[in-house]
Structure formats: C-alpha cells, structure tokens
Amino acid sequence: MPVSAQFKRYASYTVGMILLAIGLTLTAQTHLGTSPLTSVAYVLAEYTHNTFSNMTLLMFTLFVLAQIALAGKPTARKTAELLLQIPLSLVFTRVMGAVQRFVDLSGCTLPVRLLCLFLAILLTGVGAAMTLQARLNPNLGDGIVQALSIFLNKPIGQCKNVFDIINVIFAAVLSYGLLGRLVGVGIGSVLCMLGVGRVIALCNWYRRLGCPRCGIRC
C-alpha cells in the first residue's frame, strides 16, 4: 500500500476517534441521557464520584478483556492487537475528560440541549464511520460487538442492537439500585440508538459515491 494511502488511513482513524470521543462526551453533557456505550460508566461515575472519563476507561478495559476471553485461544499477534485498545482507550478517555471540563450544558435551555444532542449524534456517527473506513483496529465500542458477533455467529448489526439495549437496561437497573434514581438513561440514549447507525449508513453511502472505479472516497 502506498505511503500516502497508509497515512490517510491512520489520519482517518485518529480524527474519527477524536470525533467519537467528543460526540460521546457531548451526549452526556446534555443531561438528556448518555450513549448506550457509556451509560453504565456514567452511572458508576455518579455513584463513585469519579470522573466520567475514568469510568469509561474502566469499562473499555473490561471490554478488551472480554474480547480476549471470547476469542478462546487467540494468537500472540491477535492478543497484542486486542491489548493495543487499552492505551488507545487511555488517550480516548483523556479527550473525553478535556471536553467534559470545557463544556457544561447544565444551565442551558431544553432546545439548546436538544440541538447539542443532535450535534453529538452526528459527531459520534461520523467518527465511528471514519474509524471503520480506516480498516485498522475497530473503534473502542465496535470491538466487543464484533467479538460477540463472531462468538455467537450472529449478524453484527443484530449484536449491536442487542448490546445497546442490554447496556441501557443494565444502566437503568444499576442507577436505581445504587442511586435510587434514574441517571444516564433518557431520551438521548434512545435517540443515540436510533440516530448513530443512520449517520454511519449515510457516511458510507456518501463515501461510495466518491470513486466510480473502486467505490472508495479517496
């Protein structure tokens, strides 16, 4: 592969991860519900009084360990690729922490928070699409879904939907159990489940229009 194409792949992956981190954090900052991927981490952050980014790092690390377990007896190379997600998670969650420090929407009106939520969904979808198009390591949310898809021999889209629903339900139960009230789950969680996939599909459709020969926007 030419150096320029390789550079574009890594650049796409990097920018995509940054947009994804901003989108997930902005979703939580609207206080309308978090993304299903980070809903449990948000509840744990509220309960432990730790930062949202640190709890997300913990959850992502557990996801990586789950991927290794689901892989059965992965090769050394495959294990190293999976473990590489942990330092990526560290960088990813530091970006989340920076966004959380500088963005506070708690005092904003509902229309403003809804507008920010739609922006967050757009950023999350575009970021996820860019990381997928780079064809490097899966982004930190899709890795566990891909592992479940292979382990259960089920379509990845179906596994993604079920994974999101389970995350939201577990976060709601955990929230009531630990805090006695519902936090981190709301209309924003539902809109994320419905909207992010549509944004990814739109990005993929637009990308296929780019090159008449290979179908890749390059």
Side-chain angles (χ1 to χ4, degrees):
M1 179 179 293
V3 174
S4 60
Q6 189 77 350
F7 174 79
K8 287 175 66 175
R9 288 176 65 194
Y10 281 102
S12 176
Y13 187 84
T14 302
V15 173
M17 290 289 281
I18 293 172
L19 293 179
L20 188 58
I22 295 172
L24 291 176
T25 311
L26 187 59
T27 301
Q29 293 298 86
T30 64
H31 301 286
L32 295 172
T34 61
S35 165
L37 178 64
T38 57
S39 55
V40 174
Y42 190 88
V43 174
L44 292 176
E46 289 289 309
Y47 178 69
T48 62
H49 302 290
N50 208 316
T51 63
F52 177 44
S53 57
N54 283 343
M55 290 298 101
T56 302
L57 176 60
L58 173 63
M59 293 302 303
F60 283 165
T61 302
L62 293 177
F63 287 163
V64 172
L65 297 178
Q67 289 177 62
I68 294 174
L70 290 172
K73 295 181 179 179
T75 63
R77 179 177 179 178
K78 180 63 176 179
T79 301
E81 289 177 353
L82 292 174
L83 290 175
L84 181 60
Q85 293 181 63
I86 294 178
L88 286 175
S89 299
L90 180 61
V91 176
F92 183 88
T93 53
R94 295 318 93 185
V95 175
M96 290 181 66
V99 175
Q100 192 174 20
R101 283 193 297 272
F102 288 104
V103 179
D104 183 10
L105 302 174
S106 57
C108 296
T109 62
L110 180 59
V112 171
R113 287 187 289 141
L114 283 171
L115 181 62
C116 289
L117 175 62
F118 286 119
L119 175 61
I121 291 172
L122 179 64
L123 291 173
T124 302
V126 171
M130 291 180 71
T131 59
L132 290 170
Q133 290 166 7
R135 296 187 180 90
L136 298 172
N137 273 355
N139 68 55
L140 304 169
D142 289 331
I144 182 63
V145 175
Q146 288 185 12
L148 286 170
S149 175
I150 294 171
F151 182 77
L152 298 173
N153 194 28
K154 298 291 183 181
I156 190 167
Q158 180 181 338
C159 288
K160 173 64 174 172
N161 291 336
V162 173
F163 183 75
D164 283 348
I165 292 170
I166 290 175
N167 266 341
V168 170
I169 293 174
F170 183 61
V173 172
L174 195 65
S175 177
Y176 276 116
L178 296 178
L179 300 168
R181 67 185 193 279
L182 186 63
V183 299
V185 177
I187 186 62
S189 307
V190 177
L191 290 176
C192 280
M193 281 193 288
L194 297 175
V196 171
R198 295 302 88 207
V199 174
I200 294 173
L202 182 62
C203 288
N204 289 337
W205 171 79
Y206 178 74
R207 180 172 176 263
R208 285 195 296 270
L209 295 179
C211 179
R213 291 179 300 171
C214 62
I216 296 176
R217 191 166 185 81
C218 51

